[in-house]
Amino acid sequence: MATIVTGTIPAEEFALVHTLEKEPDTRFECERIIKSGEDAVMPLLWARNVDRLALEDAFDGDSTVDRVRLLADFDDEYLYRMDWVDHVQLLVGMLTNGEATILDAYGKREEWCLRVMFPTRDKFSETHDFCAEHGLTFDIDSIRELDGQPAGRFGLTEGQYDALVLAAREGYYSVPQERTLEDLSDELGITHQALSERLHRGTEALVEDTLLVGTDST
């Protein structure tokens, strides 16, 4: 069964440690990470909350990165392609031995937060063993197994998923509103207070699972 794991890695055991030390307010978000060699990966990486020239000066002194290319400049955020060539044993191990998919990766100050999907729980266990064997740190914040239901992909209960989908499909979130809370609660056979709680808790779970991963708000 596929398993989604969220955890943190110290920057000193991962990538861009020098850059994060020199420009500590920088926030990184990986758009995509692919394996580019036996000991290297190539991320597409957003950089925010930093001056571009100061950031690129920090890149120049960072032994964990090579072949940095600026792909886009949007005044207050920058998209780079680069090679991570040092301290990425864990990431390479996840992508190869663990057959993992990196869903999200965020870097800030002294750590990176990763959300990773493994094809099976055993593949995650292999990564856990890899960390122990190589003295690497991957502090686990959450583990969620996908049971084939779409709700599990987003950290929702089945009831929360059904309520959110029905509300969206029936126009509860439309402007102007097409269906009321009372309309939907009658259709689901629950009280409007119970439906309101499901929608609020489901929305909170969605935001935490998609928007707040790796931020100071988690």
Side-chain angles (χ1 to χ4, degrees):
M1 184 179 298
T3 301
I4 294 180
V5 178
T6 301
T8 56
I9 306 171
E12 63 185 11
E13 296 181 17
F14 199 57
L16 296 170
V17 58
H18 170 79
T19 300
L20 287 168
E21 287 176 350
K22 192 169 182 181
E23 300 295 331
D25 293 330
T26 308
R27 296 292 184 269
F28 290 114
E29 178 183 352
C30 287
E31 183 78 16
R32 185 179 63 183
I33 299 177
I34 61 174
K35 185 172 176 287
S36 59
E38 290 299 320
D39 299 303
V41 294
M42 185 192 313
L44 290 179
L45 186 71
W46 289 100
R48 302 183 175 97
N49 205 38
V50 63
D51 176 76
R52 175 187 162 188
L53 295 180
L55 176 63
E56 293 179 356
D57 180 65
F59 285 155
D60 288 340
D62 200 319
S63 64
T64 66
V65 300
D66 191 18
R67 298 198 302 170
V68 178
R69 281 91 71 195
L70 178 67
L71 301 182
D73 179 349
F74 296 102
D75 294 329
D76 58 352
E77 60 180 6
Y78 318 103
L79 179 63
Y80 290 93
R81 175 178 290 162
M82 63 186 66
D83 286 349
W84 285 349
V85 295
D86 195 12
H87 298 307
V88 289
Q89 292 172 289
L90 176 54
L91 197 54
V92 172
M94 286 179 176
L95 294 171
T96 54
N97 302 329
E99 300 176 12
T101 300
I102 309 300
L103 301 176
D104 299 289
Y106 301 88
K108 58 183 178 66
R109 294 189 181 272
E110 300 176 351
E111 68 179 19
W112 283 81
C113 178
L114 270 64
R115 184 169 58 169
V116 188
M117 184 168 64
F118 294 89
T120 65
R121 184 64 176 259
D122 287 343
K123 287 297 182 181
F124 164 65
S125 296
E126 290 177 17
T127 294
H128 188 272
D129 294 342
F130 181 88
C131 291
E133 292 170 6
H134 293 81
L136 300 172
T137 305
F138 187 37
D139 292 326
I140 306 302
D141 296 325
S142 67
I143 301 175
R144 186 166 70 247
E145 292 187 346
L146 305 186
D147 58 4
Q149 298 298 319
R153 169 66 179 83
F154 303 103
L156 302 170
T157 67
E158 186 174 348
Q160 291 166 356
Y161 176 84
D162 290 342
L164 287 166
V165 169
L166 180 66
R169 286 177 175 170
E170 295 295 320
Y172 174 74
Y173 296 113
S174 299
V175 180
Q177 190 178 64
E178 297 175 8
R179 299 289 298 278
T180 67
L181 203 63
E182 288 74 13
D183 293 334
L184 300 181
S185 63
D186 289 342
E187 188 165 339
L188 289 171
I190 60 177
T191 66
H192 71 273
Q193 291 92 343
L195 177 57
S196 177
E197 181 177 337
R198 287 187 188 181
L199 292 175
H200 278 88
R201 292 186 181 276
T203 300
E204 181 181 25
L206 276 177
V207 170
E208 289 181 348
D209 198 67
T210 57
L211 302 181
L212 296 184
V213 177
T215 73
D216 295 329
S217 300
T218 55

